[in-house]
């Protein structure tokens, strides 16, 4: 058989252009391109790709539908397992999941499963915009109230499945919009907020209720929710507590956690200040500390806010960077300067309390540590400084302790993660948890997988089966 | 949406609003605050819960118009609605039967100190209240404060009402005259709280300050509100807002309050142009 070994390319905004705007970088496939890419799928009988997807989308089936131009069928197949394909098609680390195991990968590029998913999802959104909506089928309402805490991918998928089963579902969200990291963390140029909003609006159409400005643990305790008549609770509250390095000068003006920086820009739209009221510093020389997706997002956002130099300071080497390969390449193309094998030791400020320099120490790689990555060791006497007027600390987040602190008997692990059994039930009966709050910072699709599993468990719990 | 049920002008640039926010009112306690967003494009600002009524489902805020957001909020009237009222946030003030206590409130800080004094009183404490205003025109809630105090001392900076001077001048005398003061509570501008802390330190009287750091989220996920307390970084919104005033790095707090001076000015000027 004569199949193209190469992935069908997708158009992107040019680096010199996109570094000045917040528009999306990859532009999506046309119909022709999508059909061409779909024809590369071998429809293998073993279809390892399905196992590779944390929510087990029937990948060969939806790709076949694209190839046969049955786009409605394709979206229906995806929707059976994934409620937010326009999101996952954009932000899934496909190269580590479905595409990592694709058979085509043995002879050339794996099939662009994520890109195809995005294509059908975008087509579907376009139809919805024209009012041609099909609300997913639902069981008859059973009137049983279930509370979902947090509207990130975990909470949303749990809510969708329970709603389809006929439950009366309410999502309680602390912020004023739904989406979790999808709206406050991942930047506009990777995931347009309008798309997130459109995908989520389907839930309201299905009858899911949203209550915003509601912090469980403060506005109401978990016991309070049971007292209000909810029969089960799902916690999908994410891993939002930002970590700092606790080095001298870290509280100087101009130093942000990545969470604060991205929340100001994405959620509060500070990139449109002063049209929007929330301010953000427009710095010229920015240091971003970290090497993950969050660090890449922060660095590329700082660039778009007008920085002339953005230094990405990472203590290991490029090979160990946890960020997605595609994002590292995007960052590099846009002109992010990588300062590798280096670690900040202190910040130096001016008399008004603003950061003006970061002092770093050079690192070398030693023996592999428990994570299997080689451990960075500081090289004595190798300190050097970089002039900066802003720093963004992106060294990770852990679960926020508010719920654990206010819920009697809720067991948590060493990093504050909520402990669950195989059904995702916590140590408190009727309280389930999933997503980043359980696993620590992970991915959108694993959080969605957890939400779906929890929905099944909650249904069984209500029916007295667990 | 959160409706404004009552609006009252308390003095120059000082406004009270009673808001319909049943979820907040149901669990609010003295010392907690809300994060308010006035409209779609607005920023999130923290305001202390100055009072609440669980049966009516309302919370009361009292604010001073200083920049764009508080001025904009001040233009809203009874019947208007705010985009968001999020809370209650922060830890309630720890209130027990301590014995003799002193509360020190300055300016707009008198509003949040009221529910604390009320609860202190109801727990059987002997409450000495020291409240300070800029001038006579600025005096508000005097009677409310009197009703929850065993002794009420008032000062104004210019001497136009009560004693002339700062609350710390009054506090100095009280510390000299009164014995067995078990605890001091203070809310007001950072400089004032710093001065209060400096004054009670030699007496080793535990002093609690309610900090007013800049905030974004109000729930412990951004770190905008970080302060150094006893050499450790804490988040005002989730670890506080009350801290041991003797351990707070007030100089850092004051510097951090000024981070957005330029942007705030720009935003306020632009707004003044728009409403002209
Ligand atoms: C900048 C950034 C970039 C990322 N990029 C990618 C990517 O490219 N691909 C990928 O797959 N993953 C990425 N991730 C990770 C991914 O976004 C998360 O793993 C995923 O969002 C976790 O989903 P969740 O539902 O568990 O929690 P979250 O998305 O964190 O949602 C939790 C929600 O709960 C709310 N909440 C918290 N506490 C309470 C409470 N007490 N009461 C009420 N509500 C509460 C929060 O406000 C929030 O809305 C990224 C993360 C970040 C921060
Ligand atoms: C927990 C908490 C409770 C608060 N309670 C009240 C209250 O009950 N009543 C009230 O009037 N104010 C209160 N504040 C302060 C209030 O949040 C600010 O006045 C408000 O954010 C100013 O917004 P603005 O846009 O009007 O002014 P901006 O233009 O943002 O600020 C103008 C100037 O005011 C100062 N400022 C800005 N934000 C704050 C802040 N958070 N705290 C102190 N000074 C600030 C800065 O020095 C700034 O330069 C509280 C703050 C906190 C953290
Ligand atoms: S959801 Fe993610 S892992 Fe699953 S098929 Fe789509 S892109 Fe692949
Ligand atoms: S493994 Fe690759 S080629 Fe095979 S069915 Fe899945 S997507 Fe198609
Ligand atoms: S305001 Fe965000 S952590 Fe306190």
């Amino acid at each position: 058989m004569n199949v193209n070994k190469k992935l069908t390319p997708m158009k992107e905004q040019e680096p010199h252009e996109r570094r000045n705007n917040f528009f999306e970088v990859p532009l999506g496939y046309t119909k022709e391109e999508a059909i061409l890419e779909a024809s590369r799928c071998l429809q293998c009988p073993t279809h390892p790709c399905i196992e590779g997807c944390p929510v087990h989308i029937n990948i060969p089936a939806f790709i076949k539908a694209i190839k046969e131009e049955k786009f409605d069928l394709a979206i229906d197949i995806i929707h059976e397992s994934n409620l937010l394909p326009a999101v996952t098609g954009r932000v899934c680390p496909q190269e580590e999941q479905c595409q990592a195991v694709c058979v085509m990968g043995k002879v050339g590029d794996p099939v662009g499963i994520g890109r195809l998913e995005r294509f059908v999802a975008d087509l579907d959104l376009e139809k919805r915009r024209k009012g041609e909506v099909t609300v997913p089928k639902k069981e008859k309402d059973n009137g049983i109230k279930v509370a979902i805490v947090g509207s990130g991918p975990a909470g949303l998928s749990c809510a969708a499945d329970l709603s389809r089963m006929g439950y009366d579902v309410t999502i309680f969200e602390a912020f004023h919009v739904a989406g979790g990291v999808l709206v406050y963390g991942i930047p506009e140029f990777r995931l347009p907020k309008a798309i997130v909003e459109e995908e989520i609006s389907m839930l309201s159409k299905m009858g899911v209720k949203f209550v915003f400005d509601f912090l469980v643990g403060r506005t109401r305790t978990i016991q309070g929710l049971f007292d209000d008549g909810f029969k089960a609770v799902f916690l999908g509250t994410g891993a939002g507590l930002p970590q700092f390095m606790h080095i001298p000068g870290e509280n100087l003006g101009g130093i942000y956690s990545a969470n604060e920086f991205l929340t100001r820009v994405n959620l509060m739209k500070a990139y449109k200040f002063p049209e929007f009221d929330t301010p953000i510093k427009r710095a010229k020389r920015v240091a971003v500390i970290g090497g993950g997706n969050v660090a890449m997002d922060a660095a590329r956002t700082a660039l778009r806010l007008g920085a002339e130099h953005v230094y990405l300071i990472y203590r290991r080497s490029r090979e160990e960077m946890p960020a997605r390969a595609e994002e590292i390449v995007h960052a590099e193309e846009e002109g992010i300067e990588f300062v590798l094998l280096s670690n900040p030791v202190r910040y130096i400020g001016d008399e008004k309390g603003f950061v003006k320099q970061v002092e770093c120490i050079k690192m070398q790689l030693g023996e592999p540590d428990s994570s299997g990555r080689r451990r960075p060791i500081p090289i004595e006497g190798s300190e050097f400084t970089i002039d900066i007027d802003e720093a963004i600390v992106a060294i990770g987040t852990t679960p926020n302790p508010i719920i654990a602190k206010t819920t009697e008997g809720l067991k948590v692990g060493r990093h504050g993660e909520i402990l669950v059994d195989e059904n995702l039930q916590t140590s408190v009966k009727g309280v389930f948890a999933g997503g980043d709050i359980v696993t620590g910072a992970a991915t959108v699709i694993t959080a969605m997988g957890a939400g779906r599993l929890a929905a099944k468990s909650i249904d069984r719990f209500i029916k007295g089966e667990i | 949406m959160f409706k404004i049920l009552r609006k009252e002008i308390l003095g120059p640039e000082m406004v009270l609003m009673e808001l319909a926010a049943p979820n907040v009112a149901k669990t609010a306690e003295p010392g907690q605050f809300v994060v308010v967003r006035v409209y779609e494009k607005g920023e999130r600002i923290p305001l202390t819960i100055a009072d609440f009524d669980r049966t009516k489902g309302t919370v009361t805020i009292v604010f001073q118009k200083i920049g764009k957001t508080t001025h904009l909020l001040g233009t809203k009237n009874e019947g208007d609605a705010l985009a968001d009222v999020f809370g209650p946030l922060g830890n309630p003030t720890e209130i027990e039967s301590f014995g003799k206590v002193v509360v020190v409130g300055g300016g707009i800080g008198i509003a949040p100190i009221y529910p604390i004094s009320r609860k202190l009183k109801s727990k059987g404490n002997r409450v000495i209240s020291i409240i300070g205003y800029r001038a006579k025109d600025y005096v508000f809630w005097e009677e409310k404060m009197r009703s929850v105090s065993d002794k009420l001392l008032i000062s104004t900076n210019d001497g136009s009402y009560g004693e002339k001077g700062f609350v710390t001048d009054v506090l100095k005398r009280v510390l000299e005259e009164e014995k067995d003061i078990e605890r001091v509570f203070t809310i007001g501008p950072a400089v004032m709280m710093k001065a209060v802390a400096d004054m009670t330190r030699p007496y080793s009287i535990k002093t609690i300050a309610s900090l007013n750091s800049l905030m974004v989220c109000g729930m412990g996920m951004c770190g905008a509100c970080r302060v150094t307390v006893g050499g450790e970084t804490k988040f005002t919104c989730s670890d506080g807002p009350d801290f041991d005033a003797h351990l707070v790095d007030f100089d850092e707090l004051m510097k951090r309050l000024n981070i957005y001076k330029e942007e705030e000015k720009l935003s306020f000027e632009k707004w003044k142009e728009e409403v002209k």
Side-chain angles (χ1 to χ4, degrees):
Chain A
M1 208 166 50
N2 190 11
V3 279
N4 195 347
K5 291 200 175 71
K6 284 255 160 269
L7 176 69
T8 311
M10 189 192 288
K11 283 187 203 62
E12 284 185 353
Q13 267 199 79
E14 292 296 330
H16 67 272
E17 205 169 283
R18 70 188 193 228
R19 58 173 285 172
N20 297 316
N21 68 48
F22 276 84
F23 299 123
E24 208 178 356
V25 172
L27 301 173
Y29 278 155
T30 61
K31 255 182 209 164
E32 294 68 33
E33 287 163 345
I35 293 166
L36 189 68
E37 183 59 21
S39 67
R40 293 178 64 235
C41 169
L42 303 171
Q43 295 292 319
C44 18
T46 53
H47 44 66
C49 51
I50 299 183
E51 267 312 301
C53 168
V55 295
H56 310 307
I57 296 182
N58 190 341
I59 294 169
F62 97 75
I63 294 185
K64 182 157 178 270
I66 295 180
K67 195 173 150 191
E68 294 167 357
E69 298 190 42
K70 295 177 185 153
F71 303 125
D72 288 346
L73 176 62
I75 195 70
D76 287 346
I77 295 169
I78 295 173
H79 273 158
E80 273 170 33
S81 351
N82 177 352
L83 177 84
L84 311 169
V87 173
T88 50
R90 286 172 166 82
V91 304
C92 249
Q94 295 112 7
E95 64 281 0
E96 294 164 20
Q97 297 176 346
C98 53
Q99 294 175 195
V101 290
C102 168
V103 173
M104 268 301 285
K106 293 195 180 116
V107 291
D109 292 335
V111 176
I113 301 169
R115 293 175 171 195
L116 290 171
E117 185 172 304
R118 169 181 169 171
F119 165 77
V120 265
D122 284 358
L123 210 60
D124 181 56
L125 286 182
E126 222 168 273
K127 287 185 78 174
R128 281 196 234 164
R129 270 172 226 143
K130 290 187 201 134
E132 305 166 28
V133 262
T134 45
V135 179
K137 279 191 265 324
K138 277 181 64 166
E139 303 282 318
K140 216 171 113 247
D141 287 349
N142 64 20
I144 300 171
K145 282 168 64 174
V146 179
I148 309 284
V149 185
S151 65
L156 291 172
S157 359
C158 188
D161 280 6
L162 286 168
S163 168
R164 277 193 270 228
M165 293 174 202
Y167 288 94
D168 179 0
V169 181
T170 307
I171 299 184
F172 294 97
E173 168 58 49
F175 274 132
H176 53 266
V177 283
V181 172
L182 306 181
V183 289
Y184 79 71
I186 305 180
E188 182 76 16
F189 56 84
R190 279 215 295 129
L191 182 62
K193 302 304 148 230
I195 285 179
V196 179
E197 206 184 306
E198 281 180 298
E199 287 277 48
I200 293 176
S201 69
M202 189 58 105
L203 281 174
S204 326
K205 293 203 184 87
M206 286 165 65
V208 173
K209 293 174 215 141
F210 287 87
V211 178
F212 296 109
D213 296 319
F214 195 105
L215 185 65
V216 172
R218 292 260 194 245
T219 313
R220 210 70 89 242
T221 57
I222 304 246
Q223 187 52 48
L225 292 175
F226 283 116
D227 295 345
D228 287 348
F230 291 95
K231 297 294 176 220
V233 177
F234 173 73
L235 303 175
T237 49
L241 180 71
Q243 300 299 294
F244 286 93
M245 293 179 70
H246 302 292
I247 56 177
E250 210 167 25
N251 293 345
L252 286 166
I255 304 184
Y256 294 97
S257 74
N259 262 10
E260 180 187 353
F261 183 77
L262 292 169
T263 301
R264 282 181 184 270
V265 177
N266 295 323
L267 181 73
M268 304 310 295
K269 308 247 179 295
Y271 68 98
K272 294 188 186 166
F273 178 86
E275 184 202 337
F276 282 72
D277 293 340
T278 304
I280 188 96
K281 286 282 163 198
R282 297 228 171 210
K284 292 289 165 225
R285 304 171 63 89
V286 181
V288 176
I289 321 300
N293 284 318
V294 181
M296 297 302 152
D297 282 345
R300 297 173 69 197
T301 300
L303 199 71
R304 282 161 174 77
L305 288 171
E308 284 155 15
H309 291 277
V310 178
Y311 304 101
L312 193 120
I313 303 175
Y314 180 54
R315 62 198 179 123
R316 293 182 161 100
S317 71
R318 191 179 162 132
E319 285 67 59
E320 284 87 15
M321 276 193 182
R324 290 182 62 192
E326 185 186 325
E327 300 311 326
I328 298 176
V329 171
H330 276 146
E332 209 165 32
E333 282 174 357
E334 289 169 12
I336 307 293
E337 298 160 54
F338 291 177
V339 182
L340 301 169
L341 288 165
S342 301
N343 208 25
V345 287
R346 67 178 176 128
Y347 297 96
I348 300 155
D350 63 17
E351 62 294 342
K352 284 191 170 158
F354 283 91
V355 65
K356 63 172 190 188
Q357 277 185 325
V358 56
E359 182 177 308
C360 301
I361 189 162
K362 290 231 162 80
M363 310 292 274
Q364 62 190 13
L365 293 181
E367 295 300 308
D369 63 11
S370 57
S371 75
R373 291 179 305 176
R374 294 176 62 195
R375 197 152 52 105
I377 306 164
I379 305 173
E380 235 176 278
S382 67
E383 288 86 355
F384 62 100
T385 58
I386 307 175
D387 290 345
I388 54 168
D389 52 3
E390 180 168 290
I392 303 164
V393 184
I395 58 165
T397 55
T398 53
N400 189 311
I402 284 183
I403 289 187
K405 233 171 59 184
T406 55
T407 310
E408 224 172 292
L410 188 70
K411 292 214 176 92
V412 297
R414 212 151 49 91
H415 303 288
E417 72 280 11
I418 296 181
L419 301 177
V420 293
D421 64 14
E422 70 280 6
N423 299 315
L424 299 184
Q425 185 160 216
T426 67
S427 53
V428 178
K429 208 165 153 257
V431 178
F432 296 74
D436 281 5
I437 184 74
V438 168
T439 57
T443 62
V444 172
I445 193 69
T446 43
M448 287 177 54
R452 304 203 66 201
L453 174 58
K456 276 199 201 111
S457 299
I458 288 172
D459 183 47
R460 287 171 53 210
F461 168 78
I462 302 249
K463 290 181 175 146
E465 294 166 19
I466 52 174
Chain B
M1 293 300 243
F2 300 81
K3 236 194 182 131
I4 301 168
L5 300 180
R6 187 164 72 85
K7 178 179 176 183
E8 192 185 322
I9 308 296
L10 293 181
E13 311 290 292
M14 290 185 300
V15 183
L16 173 150
M17 281 177 181
E18 190 175 348
L19 310 170
N23 278 333
V24 183
K26 189 161 175 181
T27 51
E29 291 289 342
Q32 291 189 300
F33 62 95
V34 287
V35 161
V36 169
R37 203 172 58 120
V38 181
Y39 72 125
E40 245 346 272
K41 294 180 177 177
E43 74 179 321
R44 300 164 64 91
I45 65 159
L47 295 170
T48 308
I49 299 171
D51 208 348
F52 52 85
D53 186 325
R54 298 205 205 288
T55 40
K56 271 164 63 192
T58 62
V59 296
T60 300
I61 52 170
V62 172
F63 60 93
Q64 184 168 18
K65 293 192 258 177
I66 52 171
K68 151 117 193 227
T69 303
T70 42
H71 274 90
L72 176 71
L73 182 57
T75 63
K76 301 290 164 194
N77 290 310
E78 285 171 13
D80 291 344
L82 306 180
D84 301 283
V85 177
F86 172 44
L89 303 169
N91 297 294
T93 300
E94 197 191 307
I95 294 172
E96 295 164 24
S97 304
F98 299 109
K100 193 192 284 180
V101 297
V102 175
V103 300
V104 186
I108 206 75
I110 293 162
I113 213 126
Y114 165 72
I116 294 173
S117 311
R118 181 174 60 186
K119 188 152 178 198
L120 281 165
K121 183 88 184 111
S122 75
K123 292 264 176 177
N125 292 286
R126 181 172 161 76
V127 181
I128 302 174
S129 301
I130 306 172
I131 53 179
Y133 305 87
R134 210 181 308 173
K136 186 164 191 265
D137 288 356
Y138 291 79
V139 175
F140 71 94
W141 281 21
E142 180 186 349
E143 286 319 308
K144 274 179 97 129
M145 280 305 293
R146 195 180 305 283
S147 71
V148 296
S149 309
D150 291 283
K151 195 169 174 183
L152 180 72
L153 301 160
I154 301 176
S155 73
T156 50
N157 298 357
D158 63 354
S160 52
Y161 192 74
E163 293 177 42
K164 180 173 162 48
F166 297 110
V167 282
T168 38
D169 299 327
V170 183
L171 176 65
K172 185 157 182 274
R173 206 183 59 232
V174 169
L175 290 171
E176 281 161 6
E177 287 171 1
E178 299 274 346
K179 283 187 201 63
D180 321 317
I181 298 170
E182 297 297 332
R183 206 167 269 228
V184 173
F185 297 84
T186 181
I187 309 184
V191 267
M192 182 202 101
M193 292 191 285
K194 183 185 171 175
V196 168
D198 288 343
M199 198 158 270
T200 58
R201 193 175 285 114
Y203 293 87
S204 302
I205 301 171
K206 179 138 184 174
T207 301
I208 305 296
S210 174
L211 304 188
N212 55 353
S213 338
L214 299 183
M215 292 188 179
V216 180
C217 70
M219 55 170 152
M221 53 104 7
C222 76
C225 64
R226 58 198 195 276
V227 287
T228 303
V229 182
E232 274 180 57
T233 294
K234 300 274 179 198
F235 290 178
T236 304
C237 67
S238 51
D239 298 324
D242 289 357
F243 292 101
D244 182 337
H246 294 154
L247 301 178
V248 172
D249 183 344
F250 281 102
D251 295 329
E252 180 187 90
L253 175 70
M254 287 187 267
K255 280 187 184 151
R256 287 189 62 82
L257 280 173
N258 284 329
I259 292 178
Y260 295 102
K261 266 257 143 49
E262 289 162 33
E263 290 81 0
E264 285 155 355
K265 191 159 168 253
L266 179 76
S267 185
F268 191 30
E269 295 301 322
K270 179 173 166 272
W271 180 76
K272 279 192 283 190
E273 277 303 308
E274 282 165 13
V275 293
K276 234 198 247 162

